[in-house]
């Protein structure tokens, strides 16, 4: 084989491992889950068969747990995403000023994103909001009464959202990079026109960073729909399934309740379609509120 042939074949050889991995670990599970969603398929069962749309019909007409889980997930996303975006933008705006020791604070605020929502952090978070936890001790020391965070549906959801909001570091870094790229000449022109800082923030800063807001909004929304640890480890879906997120329901259906892979696959596809429709709607609406420089 001559050098010319080697050069032509080499790129295909280098890319082959990635293609094989993509086909085996991405495409095959994706296609196979779609097939399973139309089957009565339980692990360790010999009576697996095609049942058409029965899983989807049952989900929409005869599964109260799905309904509660669906609305709990929607509520979690609506509460969490704006909270993360507003808080991370606020911190990024402050860290954009030339303050003493600003690099230390930028690092400190990013650390929660490194720690993430792993099991240790989630467990610690759970104990903080226990009836006799640190948060209630602070409240009672200030003269207040103990709050039962996990028995009230709204408060339990709030505890979960606060855990996600605490991991705002990566979103903040992206906002900070966008703020640093806003042309100073625009602020100087605004100052000459007598605009206040507040006015310049909403008339100059926000319109210019709208592409970054769009990116962060889409990414945080997808991450919120994929939340698992807080619901599974902190509240276990209590009280009365009010914090029972769809990902937890899918997991327990597939691996803890009769190993019902077919129904779990149908639940997964509903969640996928929900995320896809919402993301497409956001992108379609972006032409009305996102401003690009070109």
């Amino acid at each position: 084989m001559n050098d010319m042939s080697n050069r032509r074949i080499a790129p295909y050889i280098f890319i082959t491992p990635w293609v094989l991995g993509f086909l085996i670990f991405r495409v095959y599970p994706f296609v196979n889950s779609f097939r399973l969603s139309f089957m009565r398929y339980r692990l360790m069962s010999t009576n697996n068969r095609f049942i058409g749309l029965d899983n989807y019909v049952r989900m929409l007409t005869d599964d109260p747990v799905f309904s509660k889980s669906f609305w709990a997930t929607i509520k979690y996303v609506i509460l969490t995403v704006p909270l993360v975006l507003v808080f991370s933008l606020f911190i990024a705006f402050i860290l954009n000023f030339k303050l003493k020791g600003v690099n230390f604070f930028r690092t400190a605020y990013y650390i929660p994103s490194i720690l993430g929502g792993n099991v240790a952090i989630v467990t610690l978070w759970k104990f903080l909001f226990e009836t006799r936890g640190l948060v209630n001790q602070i409240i009672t020391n200030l003269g207040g009464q103990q709050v039962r965070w996990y028995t009230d549906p709204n408060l339990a959801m709030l505890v979960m959202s606060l855990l996600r909001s605490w991991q705002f570091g990566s979103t903040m870094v992206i906002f900070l990079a966008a703020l640093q790229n806003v042309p100073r000449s625009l602020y100087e022109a605004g100052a000459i026109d007598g605009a206040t800082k507040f006015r310049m923030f909403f008339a100059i800063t926000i319109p210019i960073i709208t592409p970054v807001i769009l990116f962060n909004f889409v990414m945080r929304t997808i991450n919120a729909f994929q939340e698992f640890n807080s619901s599974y480890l902190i509240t276990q879906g209590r009280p009365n399934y009010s914090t029972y997120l769809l990902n937890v329901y899918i997991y327990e259906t597939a691996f803890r309740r009769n190993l019902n892979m077919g129904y779990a696959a149908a639940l997964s596809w509903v969640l996928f379609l929900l995320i896809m429709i919402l993301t497409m709607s956001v992108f379609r609406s972006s032409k009305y509120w996102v401003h690009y420089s070109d």
Side-chain angles (χ1 to χ4, degrees):
M1 188 176 293
N2 55 37
D3 291 340
M4 183 64 72
S5 298
N6 288 336
R7 290 178 182 176
R8 289 179 178 175
I9 295 173
Y12 298 102
I13 294 176
F14 287 128
I15 202 173
T16 297
W18 181 88
V19 172
L20 289 176
F22 180 73
L23 292 175
I24 295 172
F25 298 110
R26 295 289 184 180
V27 176
Y28 173 73
F30 190 77
V31 174
N32 195 43
S33 70
F34 186 68
R35 181 182 67 87
L36 290 179
S37 71
F38 297 101
M39 296 183 66
R40 182 191 180 281
Y41 191 94
R42 299 174 189 268
L43 290 181
M44 315 301 291
S45 172
T46 57
N47 190 29
N48 298 322
R49 64 183 188 279
F50 180 78
I51 57 173
L53 294 172
D54 283 5
N55 282 330
Y56 294 96
V57 173
R58 173 192 162 193
M59 191 187 309
L60 298 175
T61 61
D62 191 28
D63 186 356
V65 176
F66 167 74
S67 177
K68 292 180 180 179
S69 179
F70 178 87
W71 289 115
T73 305
I74 295 294
K75 188 177 179 181
Y76 175 79
V77 172
I78 291 174
L79 184 62
T80 302
V81 175
L83 200 61
V84 173
L85 292 179
V86 171
F87 191 61
S88 57
L89 179 58
F90 174 71
I91 297 298
F93 184 73
I94 294 175
L95 296 180
N96 193 36
F97 291 108
K98 294 181 180 178
L99 304 173
K100 187 176 181 180
V102 68
N103 289 331
F104 167 77
F105 288 107
R106 287 174 182 173
T107 305
Y109 281 117
Y110 188 72
I111 287 176
S113 289
I114 300 173
L115 297 174
N118 58 47
V119 175
I121 297 298
V122 173
T123 304
L124 174 63
W125 201 263
K126 178 181 179 181
F127 285 116
L128 284 176
F129 288 90
E130 289 284 0
T131 305
R132 297 182 178 179
L134 179 62
V135 175
N136 268 337
Q137 288 184 17
I138 294 173
I139 292 174
T140 52
N141 288 336
L142 294 174
Q145 295 183 341
Q146 285 186 343
V147 179
R148 297 186 178 278
W149 298 97
Y150 299 132
T151 56
D152 184 293
N154 293 324
L155 292 178
M157 184 64 75
L158 179 63
V159 171
M160 290 169 49
S161 296
L162 289 177
L163 174 60
R164 170 58 66 179
S165 305
W166 182 67
Q167 307 160 43
F168 64 92
S170 58
T171 309
M172 180 204 69
V173 169
I174 296 172
F175 273 137
L176 183 60
L179 291 173
Q180 291 180 340
N181 285 322
V182 177
R184 294 295 163 190
S185 59
L186 296 178
Y187 292 123
E188 293 169 359
I192 292 173
D193 290 340
T196 62
K197 295 285 186 183
F198 184 81
R199 172 71 174 169
M200 284 193 282
F201 179 76
F202 285 100
I204 297 175
T205 306
I206 292 296
I208 288 181
I209 67 170
T210 46
V212 177
I213 294 176
L214 170 66
F215 173 79
N216 276 335
F217 179 77
V218 171
M219 297 305 295
R220 292 311 108 200
T221 301
I222 293 174
N223 285 344
F225 273 112
Q226 294 175 335
E227 179 61 30
F228 179 85
N229 282 354
S230 60
S231 175
Y232 187 71
L233 296 175
I234 295 180
T235 64
Q236 293 86 42
R238 296 172 297 180
N240 192 25
Y241 295 101
S242 61
T243 59
Y244 195 57
L245 302 184
L246 271 175
N247 273 325
V248 179
Y249 188 32
I250 293 168
Y251 167 76
E252 294 197 337
T253 302
F255 300 105
R256 298 188 64 180
R257 296 179 181 175
N258 302 321
L259 304 177
N260 194 343
M261 293 293 174
Y263 195 63
L267 289 169
S268 300
W269 269 90
V270 168
L271 179 59
F272 168 73
L273 292 174
L274 178 63
I275 296 173
M276 187 178 69
I277 291 171
L278 184 60
T279 304
M280 291 176 63
S281 301
V282 171
F283 274 110
R284 288 186 66 85
S285 71
S286 66
K287 62 183 177 182
Y288 299 108
W289 60 275
V290 176
H291 309 285
Y292 296 100
S293 58
D294 50 347

